[in-house]
Short mmCIF file of all heavy atoms in Angstrom, two decimals:
data_model
loop_
_atom_site.label_atom_id
_atom_site.label_comp_id
_atom_site.label_asym_id
_atom_site.label_seq_id
_atom_site.Cartn_x
_atom_site.Cartn_y
_atom_site.Cartn_z
N GLY A 1091 -8.14 13.03 18.49
CA GLY A 1091 -9.19 12.02 18.37
C GLY A 1091 -10.02 12.15 17.11
O GLY A 1091 -10.82 11.25 16.80
N GLY A 1092 -9.85 13.23 16.39
CA GLY A 1092 -10.62 13.47 15.18
C GLY A 1092 -10.05 12.75 13.97
O GLY A 1092 -9.07 12.01 14.06
N SER A 1093 -10.68 13.01 12.81
CA SER A 1093 -10.30 12.36 11.57
C SER A 1093 -10.15 13.38 10.45
O SER A 1093 -10.80 14.43 10.45
CB SER A 1093 -11.36 11.33 11.16
OG SER A 1093 -11.49 10.31 12.12
N LEU A 1094 -9.30 13.03 9.51
CA LEU A 1094 -9.15 13.78 8.27
C LEU A 1094 -8.87 12.78 7.16
O LEU A 1094 -8.32 11.70 7.41
CB LEU A 1094 -7.98 14.76 8.34
CG LEU A 1094 -8.13 16.07 9.10
CD1 LEU A 1094 -6.80 16.81 9.14
CD2 LEU A 1094 -9.21 16.94 8.48
N ARG A 1095 -9.24 13.16 5.94
CA ARG A 1095 -8.87 12.37 4.78
C ARG A 1095 -8.11 13.26 3.79
O ARG A 1095 -8.65 14.26 3.32
CB ARG A 1095 -10.09 11.75 4.09
CG ARG A 1095 -9.67 10.77 3.00
CD ARG A 1095 -10.83 10.07 2.35
NE ARG A 1095 -11.50 10.88 1.34
CZ ARG A 1095 -12.23 10.39 0.35
NH1 ARG A 1095 -12.39 9.09 0.23
NH2 ARG A 1095 -12.82 11.19 -0.51
N LEU A 1096 -6.89 12.85 3.51
CA LEU A 1096 -6.08 13.54 2.52
C LEU A 1096 -6.27 12.89 1.16
O LEU A 1096 -6.42 11.67 1.07
CB LEU A 1096 -4.60 13.50 2.90
CG LEU A 1096 -4.23 14.02 4.29
CD1 LEU A 1096 -2.72 13.97 4.47
CD2 LEU A 1096 -4.76 15.42 4.51
N SER A 1097 -6.23 13.71 0.13
CA SER A 1097 -6.33 13.23 -1.24
C SER A 1097 -5.12 13.71 -2.04
O SER A 1097 -4.64 14.82 -1.82
CB SER A 1097 -7.60 13.75 -1.91
OG SER A 1097 -8.76 13.32 -1.23
N CYS A 1098 -4.68 12.88 -2.96
CA CYS A 1098 -3.58 13.25 -3.85
C CYS A 1098 -3.99 12.87 -5.27
O CYS A 1098 -4.15 11.68 -5.56
CB CYS A 1098 -2.30 12.54 -3.46
SG CYS A 1098 -0.95 12.75 -4.66
N VAL A 1099 -4.16 13.86 -6.10
CA VAL A 1099 -4.53 13.62 -7.49
C VAL A 1099 -3.28 13.70 -8.35
O VAL A 1099 -2.53 14.68 -8.29
CB VAL A 1099 -5.57 14.65 -7.98
CG1 VAL A 1099 -5.94 14.36 -9.44
CG2 VAL A 1099 -6.82 14.59 -7.12
N ASN A 1100 -3.09 12.65 -9.13
CA ASN A 1100 -1.92 12.56 -10.00
C ASN A 1100 -2.31 13.00 -11.41
O ASN A 1100 -3.43 12.71 -11.85
CB ASN A 1100 -1.41 11.11 -10.01
CG ASN A 1100 0.00 10.98 -10.53
OD1 ASN A 1100 0.44 11.73 -11.37
ND2 ASN A 1100 0.72 10.01 -10.00
N SER A 1101 -1.42 13.66 -12.09
CA SER A 1101 -1.75 14.13 -13.44
C SER A 1101 -1.63 13.01 -14.47
O SER A 1101 -2.08 13.16 -15.61
CB SER A 1101 -0.84 15.30 -13.83
OG SER A 1101 0.52 14.90 -13.80
N VAL A 1102 -0.98 11.90 -14.09
CA VAL A 1102 -0.82 10.78 -15.00
C VAL A 1102 -1.33 9.51 -14.34
O VAL A 1102 -1.60 9.48 -13.14
CB VAL A 1102 0.66 10.60 -15.43
CG1 VAL A 1102 1.18 11.87 -16.11
CG2 VAL A 1102 1.53 10.23 -14.26
N ASN A 1103 -1.46 8.48 -15.12
CA ASN A 1103 -1.95 7.18 -14.64
C ASN A 1103 -1.07 6.70 -13.47
O ASN A 1103 0.15 6.64 -13.60
CB ASN A 1103 -1.89 6.18 -15.78
CG ASN A 1103 -2.54 4.86 -15.44
OD1 ASN A 1103 -2.51 4.41 -14.30
ND2 ASN A 1103 -3.15 4.25 -16.44
N ILE A 1104 -1.71 6.39 -12.36
CA ILE A 1104 -0.92 6.01 -11.18
C ILE A 1104 -0.20 4.69 -11.37
O ILE A 1104 0.75 4.39 -10.65
CB ILE A 1104 -1.79 6.00 -9.90
CG1 ILE A 1104 -2.93 5.00 -10.01
CG2 ILE A 1104 -2.31 7.39 -9.61
CD1 ILE A 1104 -3.76 4.90 -8.72
N PHE A 1105 -0.61 3.89 -12.35
CA PHE A 1105 0.10 2.65 -12.62
C PHE A 1105 1.41 2.89 -13.37
O PHE A 1105 2.16 1.96 -13.63
CB PHE A 1105 -0.79 1.67 -13.38
CG PHE A 1105 -1.81 1.02 -12.51
CD1 PHE A 1105 -3.15 1.35 -12.63
CD2 PHE A 1105 -1.45 0.09 -11.55
CE1 PHE A 1105 -4.10 0.76 -11.82
CE2 PHE A 1105 -2.39 -0.50 -10.73
CZ PHE A 1105 -3.72 -0.16 -10.86
N SER A 1106 1.65 4.16 -13.70
CA SER A 1106 2.95 4.52 -14.28
C SER A 1106 4.04 4.48 -13.22
O SER A 1106 5.22 4.56 -13.56
CB SER A 1106 2.89 5.93 -14.88
OG SER A 1106 1.92 6.01 -15.90
N PHE A 1107 3.63 4.37 -11.96
CA PHE A 1107 4.57 4.42 -10.85
C PHE A 1107 4.60 3.08 -10.11
O PHE A 1107 3.60 2.41 -10.00
CB PHE A 1107 4.18 5.53 -9.88
CG PHE A 1107 4.11 6.87 -10.55
CD1 PHE A 1107 2.92 7.33 -11.06
CD2 PHE A 1107 5.24 7.64 -10.69
CE1 PHE A 1107 2.85 8.55 -11.70
CE2 PHE A 1107 5.18 8.87 -11.33
CZ PHE A 1107 3.99 9.31 -11.84
N GLY A 1108 5.78 2.77 -9.59
CA GLY A 1108 5.89 1.54 -8.81
C GLY A 1108 5.15 1.63 -7.50
O GLY A 1108 4.64 0.62 -6.99
N SER A 1109 5.08 2.81 -6.94
CA SER A 1109 4.36 3.00 -5.70
C SER A 1109 3.98 4.46 -5.55
O SER A 1109 4.56 5.35 -6.18
CB SER A 1109 5.20 2.58 -4.49
OG SER A 1109 6.30 3.45 -4.32
N MET A 1110 2.98 4.67 -4.71
CA MET A 1110 2.62 6.01 -4.28
C MET A 1110 2.46 6.00 -2.79
O MET A 1110 2.13 4.97 -2.20
CB MET A 1110 1.33 6.49 -4.96
CG MET A 1110 1.50 6.76 -6.44
SD MET A 1110 0.10 7.62 -7.17
CE MET A 1110 0.18 9.21 -6.35
N GLY A 1111 2.71 7.14 -2.18
CA GLY A 1111 2.65 7.15 -0.72
C GLY A 1111 2.51 8.53 -0.14
O GLY A 1111 2.41 9.53 -0.87
N TRP A 1112 2.49 8.54 1.16
CA TRP A 1112 2.41 9.77 1.93
C TRP A 1112 3.58 9.84 2.90
O TRP A 1112 3.91 8.85 3.57
CB TRP A 1112 1.10 9.83 2.71
CG TRP A 1112 -0.11 10.00 1.86
CD1 TRP A 1112 -0.90 9.01 1.33
CD2 TRP A 1112 -0.66 11.24 1.41
NE1 TRP A 1112 -1.91 9.56 0.58
CE2 TRP A 1112 -1.79 10.93 0.61
CE3 TRP A 1112 -0.33 12.57 1.60
CZ2 TRP A 1112 -2.58 11.91 0.02
CZ3 TRP A 1112 -1.11 13.56 1.01
CH2 TRP A 1112 -2.22 13.22 0.22
N TYR A 1113 4.20 11.00 2.93
CA TYR A 1113 5.27 11.30 3.88
C TYR A 1113 4.84 12.52 4.69
O TYR A 1113 3.93 13.25 4.30
CB TYR A 1113 6.57 11.61 3.14
CG TYR A 1113 7.24 10.42 2.51
CD1 TYR A 1113 6.67 9.77 1.42
CD2 TYR A 1113 8.45 9.95 2.99
CE1 TYR A 1113 7.29 8.67 0.83
CE2 TYR A 1113 9.09 8.86 2.41
CZ TYR A 1113 8.50 8.24 1.33
OH TYR A 1113 9.12 7.15 0.76
N ARG A 1114 5.52 12.74 5.80
CA ARG A 1114 5.26 13.94 6.58
C ARG A 1114 6.57 14.50 7.12
O ARG A 1114 7.56 13.79 7.28
CB ARG A 1114 4.28 13.66 7.72
CG ARG A 1114 4.78 12.72 8.79
CD ARG A 1114 3.63 12.40 9.75
NE ARG A 1114 4.07 11.52 10.83
CZ ARG A 1114 3.24 10.95 11.71
NH1 ARG A 1114 1.93 11.19 11.63
NH2 ARG A 1114 3.70 10.17 12.65
N GLN A 1115 6.52 15.78 7.41
CA GLN A 1115 7.71 16.47 7.89
C GLN A 1115 7.33 17.58 8.85
O GLN A 1115 6.37 18.33 8.60
CB GLN A 1115 8.50 17.05 6.71
CG GLN A 1115 9.85 17.60 7.08
CD GLN A 1115 10.68 17.94 5.86
OE1 GLN A 1115 10.16 18.19 4.77
NE2 GLN A 1115 12.00 17.94 6.01
N VAL A 1116 8.08 17.65 9.94
CA VAL A 1116 7.96 18.76 10.88
C VAL A 1116 9.25 19.55 10.83
O VAL A 1116 10.30 19.01 10.48
CB VAL A 1116 7.66 18.28 12.31
CG1 VAL A 1116 6.32 17.55 12.36
CG2 VAL A 1116 8.77 17.39 12.84
N PRO A 1117 9.20 20.84 11.18
CA PRO A 1117 10.41 21.67 11.11
C PRO A 1117 11.56 21.07 11.90
O PRO A 1117 11.38 20.62 13.04
CB PRO A 1117 9.94 23.00 11.71
CG PRO A 1117 8.49 23.04 11.45
CD PRO A 1117 8.02 21.62 11.57
N GLY A 1118 12.72 21.04 11.30
CA GLY A 1118 13.91 20.56 11.97
C GLY A 1118 14.09 19.05 11.94
O GLY A 1118 15.07 18.54 12.48
N LYS A 1119 13.16 18.34 11.31
CA LYS A 1119 13.26 16.89 11.24
C LYS A 1119 13.21 16.42 9.79
O LYS A 1119 12.74 17.14 8.90
CB LYS A 1119 12.14 16.22 12.03
CG LYS A 1119 12.26 16.40 13.53
CD LYS A 1119 11.29 15.48 14.26
CE LYS A 1119 11.47 15.57 15.76
NZ LYS A 1119 10.56 14.65 16.49
N GLN A 1120 13.71 15.21 9.58
CA GLN A 1120 13.68 14.64 8.24
C GLN A 1120 12.26 14.23 7.86
O GLN A 1120 11.44 13.89 8.73
CB GLN A 1120 14.59 13.41 8.17
CG GLN A 1120 16.07 13.74 8.07
CD GLN A 1120 16.90 12.54 7.68
OE1 GLN A 1120 16.58 11.42 8.05
NE2 GLN A 1120 17.95 12.76 6.94
N ARG A 1121 12.02 14.27 6.56
CA ARG A 1121 10.74 13.77 6.07
C ARG A 1121 10.68 12.27 6.30
O ARG A 1121 11.64 11.54 6.06
CB ARG A 1121 10.63 14.09 4.57
CG ARG A 1121 9.26 13.96 3.98
CD ARG A 1121 9.24 14.51 2.56
NE ARG A 1121 9.47 15.95 2.53
CZ ARG A 1121 9.36 16.68 1.43
NH1 ARG A 1121 9.01 16.12 0.28
NH2 ARG A 1121 9.58 17.99 1.47
N GLU A 1122 9.52 11.79 6.78
CA GLU A 1122 9.39 10.38 7.11
C GLU A 1122 8.21 9.76 6.38
O GLU A 1122 7.19 10.41 6.14
CB GLU A 1122 9.22 10.18 8.63
CG GLU A 1122 7.95 10.79 9.20
CD GLU A 1122 7.74 10.43 10.67
OE1 GLU A 1122 8.60 9.77 11.27
OE2 GLU A 1122 6.67 10.81 11.21
N LEU A 1123 8.37 8.49 6.08
CA LEU A 1123 7.30 7.74 5.43
C LEU A 1123 6.15 7.54 6.41
O LEU A 1123 6.36 7.13 7.55
CB LEU A 1123 7.81 6.39 4.95
CG LEU A 1123 6.76 5.45 4.38
CD1 LEU A 1123 6.21 5.97 3.06
CD2 LEU A 1123 7.33 4.04 4.21
N VAL A 1124 4.94 7.78 5.93
CA VAL A 1124 3.73 7.51 6.72
C VAL A 1124 3.08 6.22 6.21
O VAL A 1124 2.80 5.31 6.99
CB VAL A 1124 2.74 8.68 6.63
CG1 VAL A 1124 1.45 8.34 7.37
CG2 VAL A 1124 3.36 9.96 7.17
N ALA A 1125 2.84 6.17 4.92
CA ALA A 1125 2.18 5.00 4.33
C ALA A 1125 2.48 4.96 2.84
O ALA A 1125 2.69 6.00 2.21
CB ALA A 1125 0.67 5.05 4.56
N ARG A 1126 2.48 3.73 2.29
CA ARG A 1126 2.78 3.56 0.87
C ARG A 1126 1.95 2.42 0.33
O ARG A 1126 1.66 1.46 1.04
CB ARG A 1126 4.26 3.30 0.67
CG ARG A 1126 4.69 3.07 -0.77
CD ARG A 1126 6.18 3.21 -0.96
NE ARG A 1126 6.93 2.56 0.07
CZ ARG A 1126 8.15 2.92 0.45
NH1 ARG A 1126 8.75 3.94 -0.13
NH2 ARG A 1126 8.79 2.28 1.40
N ILE A 1127 1.57 2.55 -0.93
CA ILE A 1127 0.85 1.48 -1.62
C ILE A 1127 1.56 1.22 -2.94
O ILE A 1127 1.88 2.15 -3.69
CB ILE A 1127 -0.64 1.84 -1.81
CG1 ILE A 1127 -1.40 0.68 -2.44
CG2 ILE A 1127 -0.82 3.12 -2.63
CD1 ILE A 1127 -2.92 0.82 -2.34
N THR A 1128 1.83 -0.05 -3.21
CA THR A 1128 2.54 -0.41 -4.43
C THR A 1128 1.58 -0.64 -5.59
O THR A 1128 0.36 -0.70 -5.39
CB THR A 1128 3.38 -1.67 -4.24
OG1 THR A 1128 2.48 -2.79 -4.09
CG2 THR A 1128 4.28 -1.56 -3.02
N ASN A 1129 2.15 -0.80 -6.76
CA ASN A 1129 1.36 -1.10 -7.94
C ASN A 1129 0.50 -2.34 -7.74
O ASN A 1129 -0.63 -2.44 -8.21
CB ASN A 1129 2.29 -1.31 -9.13
CG ASN A 1129 1.89 -0.46 -10.31
OD1 ASN A 1129 0.80 0.08 -10.37
ND2 ASN A 1129 2.78 -0.34 -11.27
N GLY A 1130 1.06 -3.30 -7.02
CA GLY A 1130 0.35 -4.55 -6.78
C GLY A 1130 -0.66 -4.48 -5.66
O GLY A 1130 -1.34 -5.46 -5.37
N GLY A 1131 -0.74 -3.31 -5.02
CA GLY A 1131 -1.73 -3.14 -3.95
C GLY A 1131 -1.20 -3.43 -2.56
O GLY A 1131 -1.96 -3.35 -1.58
N ASN A 1132 0.06 -3.76 -2.44
CA ASN A 1132 0.63 -3.98 -1.11
C ASN A 1132 0.81 -2.64 -0.40
O ASN A 1132 1.15 -1.63 -1.02
CB ASN A 1132 1.98 -4.68 -1.21
CG ASN A 1132 1.84 -6.08 -1.77
OD1 ASN A 1132 0.95 -6.82 -1.38
ND2 ASN A 1132 2.72 -6.44 -2.70
N THR A 1133 0.59 -2.67 0.90
CA THR A 1133 0.69 -1.44 1.69
C THR A 1133 1.69 -1.63 2.83
O THR A 1133 1.90 -2.75 3.31
CB THR A 1133 -0.66 -1.03 2.28
OG1 THR A 1133 -1.16 -2.09 3.10
CG2 THR A 1133 -1.68 -0.73 1.17
N ASN A 1134 2.29 -0.55 3.24
CA ASN A 1134 3.07 -0.56 4.46
C ASN A 1134 2.93 0.79 5.15
O ASN A 1134 2.67 1.81 4.50
CB ASN A 1134 4.54 -0.94 4.23
CG ASN A 1134 5.30 0.06 3.40
OD1 ASN A 1134 5.04 0.23 2.22
ND2 ASN A 1134 6.24 0.76 4.04
N TYR A 1135 3.07 0.75 6.47
CA TYR A 1135 2.80 1.91 7.31
C TYR A 1135 3.93 2.11 8.32
O TYR A 1135 4.56 1.15 8.77
CB TYR A 1135 1.50 1.72 8.10
CG TYR A 1135 0.27 1.60 7.24
CD1 TYR A 1135 -0.18 0.37 6.78
CD2 TYR A 1135 -0.46 2.74 6.90
CE1 TYR A 1135 -1.31 0.26 5.99
CE2 TYR A 1135 -1.61 2.64 6.11
CZ TYR A 1135 -2.02 1.41 5.67
OH TYR A 1135 -3.14 1.31 4.88
N ALA A 1136 4.10 3.36 8.71
CA ALA A 1136 4.97 3.64 9.84
C ALA A 1136 4.33 3.04 11.09
O ALA A 1136 3.10 3.02 11.23
CB ALA A 1136 5.14 5.15 10.01
N ASP A 1137 5.17 2.56 12.01
CA ASP A 1137 4.64 1.94 13.23
C ASP A 1137 3.74 2.91 13.99
O ASP A 1137 2.75 2.49 14.61
CB ASP A 1137 5.79 1.50 14.13
CG ASP A 1137 6.50 0.27 13.59
OD1 ASP A 1137 5.93 -0.42 12.73
OD2 ASP A 1137 7.63 0.01 14.04
#
């Protein structure tokens, strides 16, 4: 029920990339997409 905020600092201009996002992984499972934001500001999330 609690909250956390993750931060990711990039060493270069983030507009150098088509998108940036967050993935997560637990032992024994594949890394999965959590959320992504594109250069144009579009977002998508895991269900």
Side-chain angles (χ1 to χ4, degrees):
S1093 298
L1094 283 174
R1095 188 177 80 157
L1096 305 183
S1097 300
C1098 171
V1099 180
N1100 197 328
S1101 60
V1102 302
N1103 188 326
I1104 61 176
F1105 284 109
S1106 300
F1107 302 93
S1109 68
M1110 290 191 66
W1112 291 92
Y1113 287 69
R1114 66 187 182 189
Q1115 189 170 24
V1116 298
K1119 291 192 175 182
Q1120 282 194 326
R1121 195 171 294 187
E1122 63 174 3
L1123 174 69
V1124 176
R1126 178 164 44 207
I1127 184 165
T1128 69
N1129 231 346
N1132 295 316
T1133 59
N1134 65 292
Y1135 297 90
D1137 287 343

